[in-house]
Amino acid sequence: MSIELTTKDGHVTITNEVVSTIAGGAAIECYGIVGMASKNQLRDGLAEILRKENFSRGVVVRQDGENLHIDMYIIVSYGTKISEVAHNVQSQVKYTLDKTLGLSISSVNIYIQGVRVTID
């Protein structure tokens, strides 16, 4: 599916993959996020971190009439407060999509797929 917008200058179509990529990019900038995980790739208790070009595999965009819902599958850093990281991701994704695409997001659902220990 895609999002259809009509302006005074013409017609704009935004694919769900574009929304997913922008949402993934916004999420990965948040403190406490190690990376994005694929929603289908949780096996043997291990989640693989997706690279930038595959962010859309870790984000699901759903449309319900005029409402837009986003499901994000993320991996957080060990030692961070998970609820705070999730809240920051929700706020950042809503803000970024509103500013870049002009889209109002009804909900951003966060699914923690793993916790990684980073060794410095």
Side-chain angles (χ1 to χ4, degrees):
M1 294 182 73
S2 58
I3 299 161
E4 309 286 333
L5 302 174
T6 304
T7 65
K8 64 180 176 73
D9 296 326
H11 188 74
V12 178
T13 302
I14 303 170
T15 65
N16 285 353
E17 187 169 334
V18 169
V19 176
S20 297
T21 302
I22 293 171
I28 204 72
E29 293 175 1
C30 293
Y31 175 78
I33 299 292
V34 174
M36 301 291 297
S38 174
K39 64 181 173 60
N40 297 324
Q41 203 159 3
L42 189 63
R43 61 176 185 258
D44 299 331
L46 299 173
E48 179 184 339
I49 297 175
L50 298 175
R51 286 192 274 216
K52 188 180 293 187
E53 59 271 10
N54 294 325
F55 280 167
S56 61
R57 288 176 40 207
V59 180
V60 177
V61 179
R62 296 179 288 116
Q63 289 176 271
D64 179 21
E66 293 295 314
N67 298 324
L68 198 60
H69 306 281
I70 296 182
D71 298 335
M72 305 193 76
Y73 297 83
I74 62 174
I75 300 171
V76 297
S77 177
Y78 178 80
T80 58
K81 187 172 180 182
I82 294 175
S83 62
E84 211 42 54
V85 171
H87 182 311
N88 289 343
V89 170
Q90 289 170 323
S91 299
Q92 183 70 23
V93 168
K94 277 187 165 187
Y95 175 81
T96 302
L97 288 175
D98 182 46
K99 292 301 175 196
T100 57
L101 301 176
L103 298 176
S104 178
I105 308 301
S106 298
S107 66
V108 177
N109 302 310
I110 306 296
Y111 298 92
I112 310 297
Q113 295 290 81
V115 176
R116 292 284 164 95
V117 176
T118 54
I119 301 172
D120 295 327

